[in-house]
Amino acid sequence: MTPQPTPDPQPSSDPQPAPVQQPPSDPQPASPPPPPRPDRTAEAIETVFRMESPRIIAGVARVVRDVGIAEELAQDALVAALEQWPRDGVPDNPGAWLMSTARHRAVDLVRRRENYARKLAEIGRDLSETAAPQEPADPDDIDDDLLRLVFTACHPVLSTEARTALTLRLLGGLTTTEIARAFLVPEPTVAQRIVRAKRALATKNVAFEVPHGPDREARLGSVLDVIYLIFNEGYAATAGDDWLRPSLCEDALRLARVLSGLMPKEPEVHGLTALLELQASRTAARTGPSGEPVLLKEQNRSRWNRMLIARGITALGRAEATSSGAPGPYLLQAAIAACHAHAYTYEETDWSRIATLYGLLAVRSPSPVVELNRAVAVSMSEGPAAALALVDALTGDPALRDYHLLPSVRGDLLARLGRTAEARSEFERAASLTRNERERDLLLRRAAEPS
């Protein structure tokens, strides 16, 4: 099932140009620049590796057919760079240097395997092809190592938690410590998930490939879901002291953009990218000076990022242009987010259209969370009484039994109807269910509001 967005809880100075340096009256011959300091070189290596590691791992995995071994060989290339670059200088194309080093180590590894002759011939032919690969004969085939890595990291043999951790590790370039901190779980837990995920892929002999036809469509949903789960955890943190984790949103958005470039004919890929661009555009306005949540109605929309909104609208256009038949769930959610982006004030929001889009989403991807979101839109277009009937119909759903936003939305509707005592009880219950400290404080403040 496609994960659904949680409803908003409603329902530096500009850099100055560097001074122009005047040439000396008696110019001296230019001396060669000093070699970079070791600490600066190490910092440059780490930056390059974080940027290039997904492609290095993907390229090597195509050779060794094992993402765990591919990551180890990529790390070996990093160690070689740390040893050689401070001494010899950073190469002109550091990414290519790392890739070449890792791939040559992969060749050495293959040479030591039992099927020496056959494997060596295959790898030798592969490495000798310096020109860009020919377009595949099958128009449905996609020849891209990075895309293969995306689908491998999100293979259905892995649990959702394992897919998320492995995706952030291999494609996001995050360390085990960073992943553990982002999801508020012990570092050994994340390490075990990653190790077991690699072992499962190797044990199940998962092919390092992009699936075709119906298999691709089924697997693509898992890929998109994992990226969106990462974004959602950054956009509205499940637990902890922070309401937002912007770095997770940035990682997910970067992955979506990469996938959109690799699969330009997939409307749901563009739909997800559009959704994340539009949601991310509100980030700066969603928290106050002390990090407290700011309700959608109270957000300063001048702080919404217009560049991200423009990118989101463009991606939505691509999704609509490539879509045939009924729109997919991510395209529909992106269209909903676009309604908010087009409204310069809260009062200008086209809540009727949003309610209609949620109705379509409920048909396309049925979920009690979608129905709860639809109820919020109905409350704004038809009034709180009409929405309360929809919310009350959800109170017996087991999937929402411990979902804090159900009593939160119900409390908001009751407050708008003047039933303040009932509203206070709902806000208090919502506060007891959430694990995020910032959200708990907000809900308790709403419970304490005078009637």
Side-chain angles (χ1 to χ4, degrees):
M1 179 185 299
T2 301
Q4 305 301 333
T6 55
D8 261 308
Q10 45 174 319
S12 95
S13 60
D14 292 334
Q16 299 299 317
V20 177
Q21 299 294 329
Q22 298 297 329
S25 56
D26 186 15
Q28 301 298 320
S31 58
R37 297 206 319 260
D39 57 337
R40 292 285 181 86
T41 303
E43 182 180 337
I45 293 170
E46 292 174 5
T47 301
V48 170
F49 186 76
R50 178 167 288 218
M51 293 171 58
E52 298 291 338
S53 61
R55 292 192 178 277
I56 296 170
I57 294 169
V60 174
R62 180 157 61 92
V63 175
V64 299
R65 303 287 168 174
D66 187 307
V67 294
I69 294 175
E71 187 185 14
E72 292 175 4
L73 293 172
Q75 293 287 341
D76 287 345
L78 172 63
V79 172
L82 289 169
E83 292 173 350
Q84 296 181 37
W85 292 7
R87 181 187 67 234
D88 303 334
V90 178
D92 293 335
N93 192 334
W97 189 99
L98 290 167
M99 175 68 84
S100 177
T101 301
R103 284 171 67 92
H104 280 99
R105 291 178 185 237
V107 173
D108 292 338
L109 177 64
V110 171
R111 284 196 179 108
R112 294 193 295 269
R113 290 179 174 175
E114 293 181 353
N115 51 356
Y116 166 82
R118 181 173 60 84
K119 286 289 186 180
L120 183 59
E122 291 176 2
I123 303 307
R125 285 196 302 270
D126 184 61
L127 290 176
S128 65
E129 296 174 356
T130 56
Q134 298 294 320
E135 287 296 321
D138 182 357
D140 196 40
D141 192 15
I142 301 176
D143 185 14
D144 192 284
D145 292 337
L146 190 59
L147 192 58
R148 292 188 181 97
L149 183 60
V150 172
F151 277 87
T152 302
C154 295
H155 196 280
V157 300
L158 306 178
S159 67
T160 300
E161 294 80 7
R163 293 177 210 169
T164 302
L166 193 61
T167 300
L168 284 174
R169 176 64 175 268
L170 299 182
L171 293 155
L174 273 66
T175 65
T176 303
T177 302
E178 290 170 330
I179 298 170
R181 186 185 306 124
F183 285 92
L184 301 178
V185 294
E187 188 173 340
T189 300
V190 172
Q192 288 175 2
R193 286 176 185 172
I194 293 173
V195 169
R196 289 172 181 167
K198 295 175 186 175
R199 186 183 302 135
L201 293 175
T203 302
K204 298 290 185 179
N205 199 24
V206 171
F208 184 70
E209 64 183 9
V210 178
H212 296 270
D215 288 341
R216 180 189 296 175
E217 184 177 349
R219 290 267 295 279
L220 179 60
S222 173
V223 172
L224 299 180
D225 290 354
V226 166
I227 294 175
Y228 191 38
L229 283 171
I230 294 170
F231 181 89
N232 243 16
E233 183 59 31
Y235 191 74
T238 304
D241 298 329
D242 296 319
W243 171 238
L244 298 177
R245 296 200 181 95
S247 61
L248 276 181
C249 292
E250 292 165 6
D251 287 325
L253 186 51
R254 181 168 60 84
L255 291 174
R257 288 169 178 168
V258 168
L259 196 61
S260 186
L262 295 174
M263 305 185 74
K265 297 180 181 180
E266 292 287 349
E268 277 294 83
V269 173
H270 293 304
L272 175 67
T273 304
L275 173 61
L276 301 196
E277 299 275 14
L278 293 168
Q279 295 288 79
S281 71
R282 306 183 212 162
T283 300
R286 294 186 71 238
T287 55
S290 301
E292 70 278 8
V294 177
L295 303 178
L296 179 63
K297 184 177 183 179
E298 299 168 359
Q299 288 176 16
N300 179 358
R301 299 194 175 203
S302 67
R303 300 187 66 199
W304 287 11
N305 189 316
R306 291 292 153 184
M307 182 187 72
L308 290 180
I309 290 176
R311 292 181 64 111
I313 298 301
T314 300
L316 179 58
R318 293 193 187 105
E320 292 171 340
T322 54
S323 178
S324 60
Y330 284 116
L331 196 161
L332 288 170
Q333 291 177 70
I336 292 168
C339 289
H340 290 292
H342 285 308
Y344 283 93
T345 66
Y346 184 79
E347 290 71 25
E348 293 176 21
T349 307
D350 190 347
W351 290 106
S352 178
R353 174 168 169 75
I354 291 175
T356 299
L357 288 169
Y358 270 122
L360 295 174
L361 183 60
V363 174
R364 181 65 175 81
S365 185
S367 160
V369 176
V370 172
E371 291 294 342
L372 184 61
N373 279 271
R374 185 169 75 89
V376 173
V378 168
S379 77
M380 301 304 300
S381 61
E382 301 178 24
L388 184 60
L390 298 176
V391 173
D392 285 345
L394 298 172
T395 55
D397 194 310
L400 299 182
R401 181 176 54 199
D402 297 322
Y403 188 53
H404 70 283
L405 287 180
L406 176 61
S408 174
V409 170
R410 193 167 188 275
D412 181 73
L413 298 176
L414 291 168
R416 289 164 59 189
L417 290 168
R419 296 160 61 176
T420 54
E422 296 172 85
R424 183 178 301 111
S425 176
E426 291 293 323
F427 285 131
E428 289 172 349
R429 181 168 184 270
S432 71
L433 291 174
T434 184
R435 291 186 291 147
N436 185 280
E437 295 298 330
R438 295 288 189 175
E439 194 167 23
R440 180 179 293 112
D441 291 344
L442 170 65
L443 291 165
L444 290 176
R445 284 199 304 273
R446 297 211 65 188
E449 288 176 357
S451 57

